[in-house]
Amino acid sequence: MATSKVEGSSSLRHAFGGVLSVFILLLIGVVAFSIRLFSVIKYESVIHEFDPYFNYRVTQFLSKNGIYDFWNWFDDRTWYPLGRVIGGTVYPGLTLTAGTMWKLANSLNIPLSVETVCVFTAPIFSAFAAWATYLLTKEVKGPGAGITAAAILAMVPSYISRSVAGSYDNEAVAIFALIFTFYLYIKTLNTGSLFYATLNSLAYFYMVCSWGGYTFIINLIPMHVLLCIVTGRYSSRLYIAYAPLVVLGTLLAALVPVVGFNAVMTSEHFGSFLVFIIIHVVALVYYIKGILTPRLFKVATTLVLTVGIAVCAVVVAILVALVASSPTKGWSGRSLSLLDPTYASKYIPIIASVSEHQPPTWPSYFMDINVLAFLVPAGIVACFLPLSDASSFAVLYLVTSVYFSGVMVRLMLVLAPAACIMSGIALSEAFGVLTRSMKFHITKYFECSHTEAPAKLGESTSTESSAPLENMTKSDTTEKPEVARKEKVARRKQKKEKELTENAHVKPVSAKKEKRPLVLPLEASIVSVFLLIVLGGLYVLHCVWAAAEAYSAPSIVLTSHSHDGLHVFDDFREAYAWLRHNTEVDDKVASWWDYGYQTTAMANRTVIVDNNTWNNTHIATVGTAMSSPEKAAWEIFNSLDVKYVLVVFGGLVGYPSDDINKFLWMVRIGGGVFPHIKEADYLKDGQYRVDAQATHTMLNCLMYKLSYYRFVETDGKGFDRVRRYEIGKKHFKLTHFEEVFTTHHWMVRIYKLKPQKNRIRGKSRKSKLGSKSTSSKSGGMTHKNPWN
Amino acid sequence: MECRLPFSLVVFCLVILSSTVRSELVISSVEKWVDLHSHIVRVVSFLKVENQGPYDVSEFVLAFPDAQAKNLATMLVIYLEEGKIIYSEFPINSTKPKSKQSNMTFYPVTLPKKLEKGKTAGLDVYVVLTNLLKPLPKEITQAESQLLVYTDNIYYTSPYHIRNQSIVFRLPGRIESYSEYSEMRLVESELRYGPFEEQPPFSYSPVVVHFENNNSFAVASNFVQEIEISHWGNVQVTEQYTIIHGGAHLKNGFSRIDYQANPSMSGASSFRTLVARLPPMSHSVYYRDEIGNISTSHLRGDSQGTQLEMELRFPMFGGWKISFSIGYSLPLHDFLFESDAGNNVLNITFGSSIEEIVVENQIVRVVLPQGSKDISVKSQFPTKKSQELKYSHLDIVGRPVVVLEKDNVVPEHKRYFQVYIYYKFNNIFLLGKAMMLILGIFLLFLMCILYMHADLALSKTSSWEEETEGRK
């Protein structure tokens, strides 16, 4: 009777806990979603930045033309005259996800525009990512840690920076896919179930669809498998977790057009195949070990080792030779710059020129993960008490992602979930210890003070406190014969895996029981709990601040607070709207590649280069044109059929990321392909400047002229507010270009190439003579037009 | 002129009839005022008509050259007798031109009261014309003013004899050149020709006025208005515009520095703002285009109406184009009434909410609530009408949409005409969607409960084996 009562109350408690945790998770999802809405509330529901505009455009195409046309889409609006095969060069995961969501909503007659769906994809998937984190951490360290980690991840600034509403980029769904893949891997590892292994490969497939960062998974999981093998933790569960993932995952990955045969041919994937071979060898060894007697096994080992090492050496030699024969050693540029942080700046300026590929600074760590940086070490310690397969994976994930985040700012995003999981574990363990000791003290206090009146209160508390323990022992005792019987059955039926899982389940319980609860003094634990809550509160405050102030600006609309209120700079859209409505549909617009995606998406005009920097030569051509004198630039642009040239200029309002500040990269990239452009010509004593001391080449290049054309007339001096000095050459005329549009704050200036026929012969000769007499270097440039 | 049309006896008779009708009437005096202040030409003619024939006359014929008739947006005739307005609403636009004579189009006007013989009556004809002002030169630079040319007949075009007439052009500013006539006077911005005495029917002599007009030349080439009715008490209006500056095209590019720093070169003919007058009680107003919200706008509201001042993304110069959309919500009870037959009557205003704009093609889509029946439309001017279905917000059978289409819409349409839409709607349908959602969620929970209780395992081998094991 009594036992059934206790069982009943405990099951009720379980149900209550379950409902409570579901409710908490729901709230965490709501928090994850709503903290990312600052951008919509403070600005508007609009797509942000650069790459999201491309994804948005692709999604529009998908929703309009359907999936088959999407795969076959050859985009002639970009990389003119080359074009780009979008279907084969894009990671389709994000687009397909948003497209499916849009289609689903529309089939239910919920009128959502594609833009709305795209804007809110990232916040929705952040909620999913928080839930995936709960599942993963639950597998590693139990549901308490899971909920804490999910709550932390829901608002970690690093992740918010990439997933605010409107930030419609691959990372938005990829982080969810990453965490979920890891969860399924750990789940498979813990259960040894083929069902989860299959799901794991499917999740991996989704990750491959979504983001190039999938190589992180396909390298991290083999590393963990290797770690397990090396530390002697090989089990059939490990085999089931790994082998199907490699086989199925690679097959599925090869289905994604952008990956294709890269899934088996590039060096990023070799590690997984190597470990695949190793795990089979190990599995074979374990199998043989099971069959043979120890003595025979020893003989066999020596025999196999000598032959095996020889074979291995040959295979490795062939592989190394194959890989070494390719110039990049079979690695892509971005991956190489991960392994060797100095690689990009040495060889590929185009990768180095992107600010998010730079190494982060220390403050950015504090900005992006805040107090988690302090909690992570505690989490690592907690993971080692005791170390399981799952917790070792978490530690490995953390360590590798710390390294990668140190190489590229962008990969801070991969570190964030790891830091959240670790901090979640740390916090929940700390709370566990502290509350347990508080409870211990309180029950003791009640027992001592009310000795003469044990009454109902003490009784109830004591039963309450002892109930789980009792229950635990009860269930253990009831389980034990069952387990024993099952073991018998299992042994008879050779179901070794099942036994192992049972053991795995039983082990932590018994370990917990053996360990005497760590008891801290009451006062200390109360203070610590209080401090931890304060720490969490600080973290929440920081996250809300970061979400509201730092990371929600859409970057196409800029605002500034001045004494007379809020000032909005909407120049980019002004220029794009002008291009969209007042130029011919087939006109080509040349600009630096940063603005390519936005021009195609917002202005719907053909561009020469865009943010998908797949053709270095083409970008170098535009860079060369921008750094050439007017006539040479005109020739290059004219040969590319360009009608309009767009430059971004911040000198009037002090917008620092304008084309003049990016100009050195244009020179570098241009000079990398066309050697007549020399960086030294644009630098005065190694310094980049556009004031009176600037070099002649600098003051006569197209970028300078287009940026500062008639700029001096604004204030009479030509004071540049970004560079904070007066410009070098103030009064000049344009001979081959004419201004057709400049936005309200001068941030975007659009010029038209003057038609050839309008030039009078005498005049053109004069200008040619003039340019020859003024500079000996630029005279040669006209002949080196790369397109002639 | 009748000799041109002898191919049919019927036509011949008709022409004879009409000519006899005409000859009975004489226009004793006409004063025609042509307002050229904006790009919409508004002509008011004050006619005094005298019946000299032996019979009472019930019809009066207005004549316009084809070039004007083609661009005639709307016309209003006021009938006066002894200085009193007898009747002011003529359904003129609904009648088709009766016959064609050379390059003329006729609009017969049925008088509300027969004009007795020997009597005189007043007719005020108010005509709104579009597309008649042509820029000359066709291309101007940013610094130049826009010059327009207006061509008209110096005499009042009419099939009747006219005894005394004059024409007055009211101009917005400087006049560049004009046709020279002996009887003419230029006072400030008013150019007056006449009086001319005793002119036979269809007298013609061209008059050309070349003048400066820098008023905003906004033409909406396309305007789609969607009015969505919700019987929960809301009307959602969405208006999509494609606007062109219809004046002289800009040449030599646009220079921001001149526009900002130099007032004389700041593009006098360009316009930067458009003002929309929304109905009173408008709320939740938005103003955006396909690439996002346009942050430069002001909204002022009072009991008379709500004024939305929209600054466009860029200043509009000649030939430039832009598109945007605005939307707002209105309380339903101001627009929906119940007629005695149990019908709902929806009273909507046709036309654009933007001031002084010509709409080349307007489409109004009135989305009625799901389940509306017996829909009929009554408008006071001809429109192309059609019906379609729209699915939104969890619709199952779709909402009926009344589509009205009309070319050449001017602000006058908004002021004078209204469209009535009659339909039947049972308010019980309002609960339909709520019920549907409740049912859907209930089914979801039910399925969850069933799933939790059902055992979906395919094989029960292990338990069976254990049982057999136990029996052994």
Side-chain angles (χ1 to χ4, degrees):
Chain A
M1 261 318 261
T3 54
S4 75
K5 224 179 203 173
V6 169
E7 257 171 28
S9 78
S10 82
S11 77
L12 198 71
R13 272 163 58 107
H14 264 286
F16 181 70
V19 168
L20 192 68
S21 50
V22 164
F23 190 64
I24 290 172
L25 281 174
L26 208 67
L27 281 182
I28 286 172
V30 170
V31 164
F33 182 81
S34 52
I35 201 171
R36 287 163 169 83
L37 298 188
F38 275 110
S39 61
V40 172
I41 292 160
K42 287 185 71 180
Y43 295 88
E44 58 180 281
S45 169
V46 74
I47 308 283
H48 288 197
E49 303 202 321
F50 305 104
D51 288 20
Y53 267 98
F54 170 73
N55 297 325
Y56 170 48
R57 185 163 158 257
V58 176
T59 315
Q60 269 182 324
F61 183 89
L62 173 73
S63 57
K64 203 187 282 170
N65 298 2
I67 182 82
Y68 292 106
D69 279 345
F70 166 70
W71 292 122
N72 293 327
W73 185 20
F74 176 78
D75 185 12
D76 57 355
R77 298 246 123 196
T78 176
W79 291 97
Y80 183 83
L82 308 169
R84 178 183 169 192
V85 188
I86 300 277
T89 57
V90 79
Y91 284 101
L94 176 75
T95 335
L96 291 180
T97 308
T100 312
M101 273 161 42
W102 177 80
K103 197 136 202 194
L104 204 71
N106 269 44
S107 64
L108 291 173
N109 284 331
I110 300 169
L112 287 176
S113 69
V114 179
E115 190 187 4
T116 315
V117 173
C118 291
V119 165
F120 291 103
T121 299
I124 291 170
F125 271 79
S126 307
F128 291 169
W131 294 332
T133 309
Y134 164 75
L135 293 172
L136 172 58
T137 321
K138 190 182 146 198
E139 286 304 312
V140 174
K141 215 68 188 178
I147 283 181
T148 325
I152 293 172
L153 184 107
M155 48 188 157
V156 64
S158 169
Y159 186 28
I160 286 177
S161 75
R162 290 274 161 179
S163 63
V164 291
S167 174
Y168 179 58
D169 211 346
N170 289 336
E171 288 93 328
V173 297
I175 293 302
F176 158 72
L178 182 87
I179 300 171
F180 198 63
T181 312
F182 286 157
Y183 156 67
L184 285 171
Y185 170 69
I186 297 293
K187 184 82 184 174
T188 322
L189 200 57
N190 280 351
T191 57
S193 143
L194 260 177
F195 171 68
Y196 283 111
T198 318
L199 279 188
N200 188 20
S201 348
L202 286 176
Y204 173 68
F205 174 55
Y206 184 62
M207 177 70 191
V208 177
C209 279
S210 307
W211 196 32
Y214 75 91
T215 44
F216 180 64
I217 294 182
I218 205 62
N219 283 304
L220 181 67
I221 289 178
M223 273 165 77
H224 179 245
V225 170
L226 206 61
L227 187 80
C228 286
I229 291 171
V230 168
T231 51
R233 302 178 76 98
Y234 171 81
S235 62
S236 50
R237 286 173 292 116
L238 188 71
Y239 183 85
I240 286 168
Y242 187 65
L245 174 70
V246 171
V247 178
L248 272 178
T250 307
L251 278 176
L252 289 170
L255 290 181
V256 182
V258 64
V259 177
F261 278 105
N262 284 352
V264 285
M265 288 173 70
T266 55
S267 299
E268 279 99 338
H269 305 83
F270 279 178
S272 62
F273 299 132
L274 197 67
V275 173
F276 187 65
I277 295 166
I278 291 172
I279 199 170
H280 276 94
V281 171
V282 171
L284 190 71
V285 169
Y286 271 80
Y287 177 67
I288 291 169
K289 201 177 178 181
I291 299 173
L292 297 180
T293 56
R295 209 157 56 86
L296 261 173
F297 178 70
K298 220 168 223 175
V299 178
T301 323
T302 45
L303 193 78
V304 168
L305 267 185
T306 43
V307 180
I309 284 171
V311 172
C312 275
V314 172
V315 168
V316 165
I318 291 169
L319 266 180
V320 165
L322 269 178
V323 169
S325 64
S326 80
T328 58
K329 315 273 184 289
W331 294 74
S332 70
R334 284 204 181 95
S335 313
L336 264 184
S337 64
L338 275 182
L339 297 181
D340 173 13
T342 57
Y343 177 81
S345 54
K346 267 190 277 183
Y347 302 107
I348 320 172
I350 209 153
I351 289 181
S353 76
V354 181
S355 62
E356 62 185 24
H357 292 161
Q358 311 285 347
T361 52
W362 282 114
S364 72
Y365 273 98
F366 187 74
M367 176 73 199
D368 278 357
I369 56 173
N370 200 247
V371 299
L372 305 189
F374 312 122
L375 290 172
V376 162
I380 296 176
V381 172
C383 277
F384 278 96
L385 302 169
L387 188 70
S388 65
D389 288 350
S391 65
S392 71
F393 178 78
V395 172
L396 193 70
Y397 173 28
L398 179 89
V399 171
T400 46
S401 62
V402 163
Y403 168 72
F404 286 130
S405 73
V407 178
M408 262 190 207
V409 174
R410 195 159 101 150
L411 294 180
M412 193 77 97
L413 193 60
V414 177
L415 168 67
C420 290
I421 291 164
M422 282 301 167
S423 313
I425 291 170
L427 272 184
S428 113
E429 291 290 309
F431 270 120
V433 169
L434 295 173
T435 47
R436 205 188 306 130
S437 51
M438 273 161 78
K439 196 171 173 184
F440 177 78
H441 280 293
I442 288 165
T443 45
K444 215 166 71 179
Y445 172 75
F446 273 117
E447 274 168 9
C448 293
S449 60
H450 300 283
T451 38
E452 73 278 358
K456 280 167 190 173
L457 207 87
E459 212 174 62
S460 69
T461 49
S462 68
T463 49
E464 217 172 84
S465 64
S466 58
L469 253 170
E470 256 174 50
N471 182 36
M472 208 177 274
T473 49
K474 281 255 162 66
S475 66
D476 266 11
T477 47
T478 49
E479 233 173 58
K480 257 179 191 162
E482 213 175 277
V483 167
R485 206 187 62 192
K486 256 192 189 163
E487 265 174 28
K488 261 184 220 161
V489 175
R491 206 171 292 151
R492 209 175 294 161
K493 301 244 152 103
Q494 307 243 330
K495 278 188 186 169
K496 278 184 182 174
E497 296 140 39
K498 208 165 190 182
E499 175 197 8
L500 279 167
T501 56
E502 289 293 335
N503 282 350
H505 271 299
V506 172
K507 251 179 201 166
V509 174
S510 57
K512 229 180 228 170
K513 248 180 78 183
E514 279 164 23
K515 201 178 73 182
R516 293 307 312 156
L518 184 66
V519 178
L520 294 172
L522 182 64
E523 295 77 16
S525 49
I526 288 174
V527 169
S528 314
V529 164
F530 176 72
L531 285 179
L532 279 180
I533 289 171
V534 168
L535 193 70
L538 283 179
Y539 172 72
V540 171
L541 282 182
H542 173 80
C543 293
V544 172
W545 173 83
E549 301 296 329
Y551 291 136
S552 40
S555 97
I556 54 159
V557 190
L558 308 164
T559 52
S560 76
H561 292 275
S562 61
H563 53 88
D564 54 343
L566 187 77
H567 202 77
V568 180
F569 299 88
D570 206 354
D571 284 37
F572 288 107
R573 287 192 295 186
E574 183 184 345
Y576 293 133
W578 186 84
L579 276 175
R580 186 187 188 99
H581 294 297
N582 297 305
T583 56
E584 295 294 318
V585 180
D586 288 325
D587 284 348
K588 281 88 195 170
V589 181
S591 67
W592 190 234
W593 60 261
D594 293 21
Y595 313 104
Y597 278 166
Q598 291 186 347
T599 311
T600 43
M602 281 198 265
N604 192 22
R605 291 294 170 268
T606 310
V607 296
I608 305 300
V609 291
D610 69 20
N611 309 43
N612 173 261
T613 53
W614 68 273
N615 188 327
N616 194 33
T617 316
H618 219 50
I619 292 177
T621 310
V622 173
T624 307
M626 292 294 190
S627 32
S628 304
E630 225 185 312
K631 186 169 190 305
W634 187 90
E635 275 168 7
I636 295 173
F637 279 144
N638 193 45
S639 66
L640 285 170
D641 236 358
V642 169
K643 203 133 177 229
Y644 296 94
V645 180
L646 180 149
V647 293
V648 172
F649 170 65
L652 187 77
V653 286
Y655 171 64
S657 48
D658 65 349
D659 277 350
I660 289 286
N661 273 2
K662 288 172 186 166
F663 182 59
L664 262 197
W665 288 111
M666 302 183 203
V667 173
R668 273 177 208 154
I669 293 167
V673 178
F674 305 107
H676 67 277
I677 302 287
K678 294 183 193 69
E679 194 179 334
D681 293 345
Y682 298 85
L683 302 176
K684 179 82 175 177
D685 307 326
Q687 264 193 321
Y688 176 65
R689 55 202 310 162
V690 291
D691 60 357
Q693 288 166 11
T695 60
H696 182 82
T697 320
M698 178 70 225
L699 294 183
N700 279 297
C701 70
L702 184 71
M703 180 50 75
Y704 179 87
K705 284 195 164 178
L706 296 190
S707 292
Y708 293 113
Y709 177 62
R710 298 187 73 184
F711 177 59
V712 68
E713 292 171 44
T714 52
D715 59 352
K717 290 185 294 188
F719 184 80
D720 187 321
R721 292 199 190 164
V722 174
R723 268 63 62 176
R724 304 200 161 277
Y725 46 66
E726 284 179 27
I727 55 170
K729 195 173 165 185
K730 292 176 184 177
H731 301 275
F732 55 85
K733 281 206 164 72
L734 293 174
T735 52
H736 293 76
F737 295 85
E738 66 172 338
E739 184 187 10
V740 285
F741 191 76
T742 298
T743 57
H744 189 245
H745 302 98
W746 288 53
M747 276 163 62
V748 184
R749 310 194 70 181
I750 300 168
Y751 293 85
K752 194 177 181 178
L753 270 74
K754 278 189 183 166
Q756 207 159 10
K757 59 175 187 243
N758 278 2
R759 286 186 299 154
I760 309 154
R761 181 167 286 187
K763 201 179 171 187
S764 71
R765 187 176 291 160
K766 206 187 279 171
S767 71
K768 201 181 244 174
L769 277 174
S771 70
K772 246 177 200 167
S773 66
T774 47
S775 84
S776 56
K777 275 168 203 155
S778 59
M781 282 175 194
T782 53
H783 302 293
K784 284 189 183 171
N785 175 10
W787 289 94
N788 283 347
Chain B
M1 290 219 166
E2 282 91 280
C3 61
R4 279 199 182 184
L5 312 151
F7 39 78
S8 148
L9 191 69
V10 183
V11 171
F12 184 72
C13 290
L14 248 171
V15 169
I16 292 295
L17 190 75
S18 68
S19 67
T20 51
V21 166
R22 272 176 217 154
S23 61
E24 288 164 355
L25 290 174
V26 165
I27 299 174
S28 57
S29 82
V30 186
E31 190 163 276
K32 183 173 169 187
W33 289 74
V34 182
D35 186 355
L36 300 174
H37 271 88
S38 73
H39 59 305
I40 302 169
V41 180
R42 295 183 170 90
V43 182
V44 195
S45 313
F46 304 101
L47 294 95
K48 282 218 163 58
V49 183
E50 201 180 323
N51 186 0
Q52 294 186 326
Y55 310 107
D56 295 353
V57 177
S58 63
E59 197 183 60
F60 182 81
V61 179
L62 294 168
F64 290 95
D66 274 349
Q68 288 191 2
K70 209 169 57 197
N71 295 309
L72 192 144
T74 181
M75 179 158 55
L76 180 80
V77 179
I78 297 170
Y79 182 71
L80 301 116
E81 211 164 57
E82 287 150 9
K84 272 190 272 179
I85 297 173
I86 302 295
Y87 193 69
S88 63
E89 295 261 332
F90 287 81
I92 293 163
N93 281 29
S94 57
T95 59
K96 291 275 178 295
K98 197 172 171 186
S99 67
K100 280 240 166 188
Q101 188 171 352
S102 65
N103 54 353
M104 290 288 162
T105 309
F106 295 105
Y107 292 86
V109 178
T110 312
L111 301 176
K113 214 171 104 182
K114 282 193 171 180
L115 184 61
E116 292 166 26
K117 55 185 179 187
K119 283 268 175 90
T120 309
L123 267 180
D124 293 355
V125 183
Y126 181 70
V127 178
V128 181
L129 301 157
T130 56
N131 294 329
L132 283 181
L133 298 176
K134 301 287 175 228
L136 186 82
K138 283 209 164 79
E139 283 192 335
I140 54 170
T141 62
Q142 193 176 327
E144 286 169 339
S145 275
Q146 179 172 267
L147 296 171
L148 300 176
V149 169
Y150 177 70
T151 316
D152 204 350
N153 185 2
I154 196 153
Y155 304 116
Y156 189 75
T157 310
S158 171
Y160 305 106
H161 184 85
I162 303 170
R163 286 197 189 130
N164 186 330
Q165 60 177 306
S166 58
I167 183 166
V168 183
F169 295 100
R170 303 186 61 200
L171 305 165
R174 197 171 60 84
I175 186 158
E176 183 84 6
S177 67
Y178 48 90
S179 306
E180 296 281 344
Y181 279 89
S182 54
E183 292 95 357
M184 59 159 292
R185 204 168 69 221
L186 177 65
V187 184
E188 287 180 6
S189 59
E190 266 186 30
L191 182 63
R192 177 183 285 269
Y193 290 93
F196 304 105
E197 311 263 326
E198 300 297 338
Q199 292 293 331
F202 300 114
S203 305
Y204 180 75
S205 179
V207 59
V208 179
V209 192
H210 194 197
F211 60 101
E212 184 182 301
N213 184 343
N214 283 323
N215 288 314
S216 67
F217 219 112
V219 178
S221 62
N222 216 330
F223 169 46
V224 181
Q225 189 180 37
E226 187 169 288
I227 302 167
E228 194 163 337
I229 310 294
S230 161
H231 272 244
W232 290 101
N234 192 46
V235 181
Q236 170 68 39
V237 184
T238 317
E239 302 182 351
Q240 284 176 345
Y241 292 94
T242 305
I243 286 180
I244 294 173
H245 186 299
H249 285 220
L250 177 75
K251 72 177 177 195
N252 290 347
F254 163 67
S255 166
R256 177 69 67 172
I257 181 79
D258 290 336
Y259 186 75
Q260 281 173 338
N262 207 338
S264 67
M265 289 177 75
S266 60
S269 65
S270 70
F271 59 92
R272 207 188 154 111
T273 50
L274 289 173
V275 178
R277 289 204 177 277
L278 309 180
M281 308 287 286
S282 303
H283 61 95
S284 317
V285 181
Y286 67 80
Y287 166 46
R288 55 169 294 149
D289 64 4
E290 60 265 76
I291 54 176
N293 182 39
I294 305 167
S295 44
T296 45
S297 60
H298 302 281
L299 188 71
R300 285 183 207 92
D302 54 34
S303 59
Q304 298 297 308
T306 313
Q307 184 173 315
L308 175 66
E309 204 178 299
M310 297 174 284
E311 200 169 310
L312 303 175
R313 280 213 190 269
F314 44 83
M316 292 286 285
F317 282 88
W320 285 13
K321 200 178 96 183
I322 199 166
S323 70
F324 58 86
S325 58
I326 57 176
Y328 47 91
S329 293
L330 298 164
L332 182 69
H333 55 77
D334 289 356
F335 299 91
L336 191 75
F337 308 95
E338 271 198 22
S339 75
D340 29 303
N343 274 335
N344 289 297
V345 184
L346 184 72
N347 178 359
I348 57 160
T349 314
F350 200 81
S352 155
S353 51
I354 296 180
E355 292 179 327
E356 271 315 272
I357 192 168
V358 176
V359 180
E360 287 180 348
N361 180 292
Q362 171 165 7
I363 296 169
V364 178
R365 298 160 49 85
V366 184
V367 184
L368 299 173
Q370 188 171 233
S372 304
K373 288 179 300 190
D374 303 338
I375 301 155
S376 62
V377 185
K378 201 176 93 186
S379 64
Q380 305 197 353
F381 48 87
T383 52
K384 255 189 264 172
K385 296 183 191 100
S386 57
Q387 271 199 32
E388 51 188 57
L389 276 179
K390 184 192 174 183
Y391 294 89
S392 77
H393 299 291
L394 299 170
D395 286 345
I396 293 169
V397 295
R399 304 168 184 219
V401 182
V402 177
V403 184
L404 306 170
E405 194 175 347
K406 181 169 167 44
D407 289 344
N408 214 0
V409 181
V410 288
E412 272 75 6
H413 283 112
K414 185 181 163 108
R415 216 163 294 159
Y416 292 114
F417 296 107
Q418 275 152 342
V419 178
Y420 296 97
I421 296 172
Y422 299 90
Y423 64 95
K424 281 197 171 122
F425 179 74
N426 195 340
N427 277 336
I428 199 81
F429 285 121
L430 286 178
L431 298 174
K433 265 173 209 167
M435 284 307 180
M436 205 172 79
L437 282 178
I438 290 168
L439 197 73
I441 290 170
F442 175 72
L443 282 177
L444 185 79
F445 279 132
L446 201 71
M447 269 156 68
C448 284
I449 291 167
L450 286 179
Y451 176 77
M452 296 300 278
H453 283 265
D455 190 3
L456 293 177
L458 276 181
S459 68
K460 304 228 159 84
T461 40
S462 54
S463 57
W464 177 76
E465 273 172 17
E466 267 173 39
E467 269 174 36
T468 50
E469 202 73 37
R471 259 178 232 159
K472 275 175 191 174

